[in-house]
Amino acid sequence: MKELSRGSNMKSVFLITISDHKRIKESTRVFLYEVGKLFKTREVGVDLLSKNSEDIGAAYNLSLANFVIGGKLSLGELGCLLSHQLVYKAIVDEGIDWAIVIEDDAEILTDTNTLIKMSDQWFRNGHEFVHLAPYLGGVLVAEGDDQSGVAIVPPLGAYAYWISAQGAFKLQTQNEVIGGLADWPIQISNVKTRSVFVPVFYSGVENSLIKNMQTASAPSRISLAYRPLAEIFTPSNARILKKAISIYGFRAVGNFIFGYRIYKRFGRLLGQTSKGQNNTHFFLSRK
């Protein structure tokens, strides 16, 4: 396995976009301008919408990704994931200590200096990943003095997060076998994930390009983390499960299948919400 190089106090901001800045909110434009005076910012975007599905299928191993998400990955979803993967590769290859990654629909809700101070503190505290928009699908515990808590289930949405070199190293696709969606592939289970309790960025569903690019069957897909176990552990799935374990490890696969579903159930029980609701549960937050 490739060794992870160490940076020398290097920081960066990555903007993921394929829409030529048309969707960037004014507050985020100000943030990008201000942070650009402090350290390097860059743009990344993989646009596959004009590509042929058959050619894409031949170029990328999508069998595990389709198994994880419970259906076919669309070209838009694949392009989004590959964009984030380019970010992880740049962080690792260039020895960047930490980076803020935002998609072009992310609207910042705080000022630049506050976010940079928080980011530096997360780095000093040895964090690997901090989600910056904790509205959907997560279970968060024990908010600390650095305004983040443990995400025992990572919130959904990859449009805004902080990540260290170690986190980027763990989130990289291995053996060219894609592990799911940008939010989140199966290897997220290997990352020490955290999240802010008070959102730092926001993007509504109405702003999502990916949602408009999904296949017609997307609404009926059930993630591996929530699919009935009887549908997962079948003889026909034995080979793909073995592949997932061989590439990303037994711990990652086990936590993705068992851990997240158990934590979600406890979250619903303690949060007194009904099944089907997918809001994030917050526990032991600082008042």
Side-chain angles (χ1 to χ4, degrees), residues 122 127 129-131 139-152 155 192-197 283-284:
W122 295 331
H127 298 337
F129 181 101
V130 182
H131 202 288
V139 179
L140 311 183
V141 179
E143 183 184 16
D145 292 337
D146 62 5
Q147 287 82 54
S148 77
V150 177
I152 56 177
K192 295 177 182 177
T193 57
R194 298 180 68 86
S195 175
V196 295
F197 277 52
F283 300 104
L284 301 178

Side-chain angles (χ1 to χ4, degrees), residues 19 77 79 86 101 147 149 153 161 165 177 187 200 203-204 245 257 267 280:
S19 62
E77 290 170 326
L86 286 177
V101 184
Q147 287 82 54
V153 178
Y161 55 91
V177 177
Q187 61 266 33
V200 175
S203 175
I245 292 170
I257 295 175
T280 290

Side-chain angles (χ1 to χ4, degrees), residues 25-39:
K25 304 293 186 182
E26 182 58 33
S27 61
T28 304
R29 291 182 189 274
V30 172
F31 164 70
L32 292 170
Y33 171 76
E34 291 178 343
V35 81
K37 295 188 289 185
L38 301 175
F39 46 82

Side-chain angles (χ1 to χ4, degrees), residues 126-285:
H127 298 337
E128 294 181 349
F129 181 101
V130 182
H131 202 288
L132 302 180
Y135 286 106
L136 184 65
V139 179
L140 311 183
V141 179
E143 183 184 16
D145 292 337
D146 62 5
Q147 287 82 54
S148 77
V150 177
I152 56 177
V153 178
L156 295 174
Y159 63 81
Y161 55 91
W162 176 98
I163 191 166
S164 71
Q166 189 64 31
F169 183 68
K170 291 181 178 181
L171 268 176
Q172 285 186 303
T173 291
Q174 300 295 322
N175 299 343
E176 300 181 352
V177 177
I178 292 169
L181 298 170
D183 61 341
W184 298 104
I186 199 168
Q187 61 266 33
I188 189 69
S189 297
N190 285 326
V191 181
K192 295 177 182 177
T193 57
R194 298 180 68 86
S195 175
V196 295
F197 277 52
V198 178
V200 175
F201 282 89
Y202 174 73
S203 175
V205 175
E206 68 277 4
N207 296 324
S208 175
L209 279 179
I210 296 300
K211 190 172 182 64
N212 298 327
M213 299 172 184
Q214 290 176 331
T215 61
S217 62
S220 62
R221 297 185 313 205
I222 301 177
S223 168
L224 189 64
Y226 310 112
R227 200 173 310 152
L229 295 178
E231 296 180 14
I232 297 173
F233 296 101
T234 65
S236 61
N237 288 335
R239 180 175 294 180
I240 193 71
L241 284 167
K242 183 178 180 181
K243 175 187 284 188
I245 292 170
S246 68
I247 295 172
Y248 292 111
F250 183 83
R251 178 182 175 277
V253 176
N255 195 36
F256 203 90
I257 295 175
F258 296 107
Y260 288 173
R261 102 181 40 222
I262 291 171
Y263 300 142
K264 285 286 285 187
R265 287 179 179 175
F266 272 112
R268 283 201 309 270
L269 178 64
L270 297 175
Q272 298 182 334
T273 57
S274 60
K275 187 175 182 179
Q277 291 181 318
N278 203 23
N279 294 329
T280 290
H281 300 285
F282 301 88
F283 300 104
L284 301 178
S285 60

Side-chain angles (χ1 to χ4, degrees), residues 10-119:
M10 293 181 63
K11 311 168 187 178
S12 190
V13 170
F14 290 85
L15 174 69
I16 294 179
T17 182
I18 59 171
S19 62
D20 194 28
H21 294 199
K22 295 177 181 177
R23 302 185 332 135
I24 301 177
K25 304 293 186 182
E26 182 58 33
S27 61
T28 304
R29 291 182 189 274
V30 172
F31 164 70
L32 292 170
Y33 171 76
E34 291 178 343
V35 81
K37 295 188 289 185
L38 301 175
F39 46 82
K40 188 174 183 179
T41 64
R42 65 193 83 184
E43 296 180 16
V44 175
V46 177
D47 187 355
L48 299 180
L49 298 183
S50 62
K51 302 296 183 180
N52 184 286
S53 297
E54 293 181 359
D55 293 338
I56 294 298
Y60 299 98
N61 188 331
L62 301 179
S63 59
L64 179 57
N66 292 336
F67 177 63
V68 169
I69 70 175
K72 285 192 174 182
L73 201 70
S74 72
L75 294 181
E77 290 170 326
L78 178 59
C80 182
L81 179 133
L82 294 176
S83 297
H84 286 269
Q85 287 293 321
L86 286 177
V87 170
Y88 306 148
K89 185 177 188 303
I91 291 171
V92 172
D93 288 352
E94 298 175 28
I96 295 171
D97 286 333
W98 61 258
I100 295 168
V101 184
I102 59 173
E103 296 179 357
D104 60 4
D105 57 336
E107 182 175 5
I108 192 167
L109 303 177
T110 189
D111 63 274
T112 300
N113 287 336
T114 297
L115 180 52
I116 300 305
K117 287 179 181 177
M118 292 166 67
S119 297

